Amino acid sequence: MVCSECSEKMAAAETCHVCRRTLAGGYKRCYGAEHIVESLRVPCPNKAYGCSFMLARYDESVHLQVCQYPPFHCPAEDCVFIIGDQPALLEHFRNTHKWPSTTVHCIVSNSATRPTPTGTNLALVDGFNVLNIIPSGPVILKVTRESCGRVITLIKSLLIAKD
């Protein structure tokens, strides 16, 4: 048995790809077996991080692009913290690394393509800063001192695509 993609490549095969026996009339697809295999569902690779979605193997790459539970890795050097829960990651930043966190509320109107921030003053410090944008999600900024002033770099966006 082979997947549908490989079966097309083997259509002209004269021998079995496993045992090398001669195939009378060439390779024949077993549509019943293909149907059974295609109906099988496997857990999302992000199950350990909270995703309960069951998917067909061929849908995995599409699902992973919109999965609400991707693993979040702490960007701090030498930190191995990984979790699939944004609030827990933000708590990790605050409690473990003592990174300052600022929440910015944005107004989303039907006519605007991007959320508009409300009047919030940012007090960024040198090093990592967490900017929690409501309703979009957090971003991590790194502030460094340079000869020309301060440079702000977007280190990591933890924004989740919403349906």
Side-chain angles (χ1 to χ4, degrees):
M1 187 181 324
V2 295
C3 67
S4 58
E5 192 174 303
C6 291
S7 70
E8 294 170 10
K9 296 175 187 173
M10 297 177 60
E14 296 178 7
T15 60
C16 172
H17 69 286
V18 176
C19 68
R20 304 288 181 224
R21 292 172 89 186
T22 302
L23 298 172
Y27 177 78
K28 303 276 191 278
R29 288 177 68 175
C30 178
Y31 293 101
E34 285 181 20
H35 180 72
I36 291 169
V37 170
E38 289 178 358
S39 69
L40 296 176
R41 298 291 181 255
V42 295
C44 171
N46 296 330
K47 180 180 180 180
Y49 305 110
C51 186
S52 60
F53 196 78
M54 298 294 287
L55 57 134
R57 275 280 180 213
Y58 55 84
D59 287 336
E60 185 174 298
S61 63
V62 174
H63 170 72
L64 288 176
Q65 292 174 2
V66 297
C67 182
Q68 298 292 301
Y69 299 91
F72 294 111
H73 303 258
C74 179
E77 196 171 310
D78 298 329
C79 185
V80 295
F81 187 80
I82 302 172
I83 196 158
D85 179 53
Q86 272 189 11
L89 184 64
L90 294 174
E91 184 177 321
H92 168 77
F93 294 157
R94 277 190 306 273
N95 296 338
T96 303
H97 301 295
K98 308 296 187 221
W99 295 348
S101 179
T102 304
T103 298
V104 178
H105 293 273
C106 293
I107 300 170
V108 181
S109 66
N110 292 337
S111 60
T113 56
R114 293 186 180 153
T116 306
T118 59
T120 301
N121 293 321
L122 296 179
L124 302 177
V125 298
D126 290 349
F128 289 105
N129 293 262
V130 179
L131 186 58
N132 192 14
I133 304 169
I134 306 294
S136 302
V139 295
I140 301 171
L141 305 173
K142 185 173 185 181
V143 178
T144 53
R145 288 182 189 249
E146 300 290 333
S147 58
C148 60
R150 286 194 169 99
V151 176
I152 301 173
T153 308
L154 174 65
I155 298 296
K156 180 83 172 172
S157 174
L158 305 176
L159 306 179
I160 299 292
K162 302 290 183 200
D163 291 337

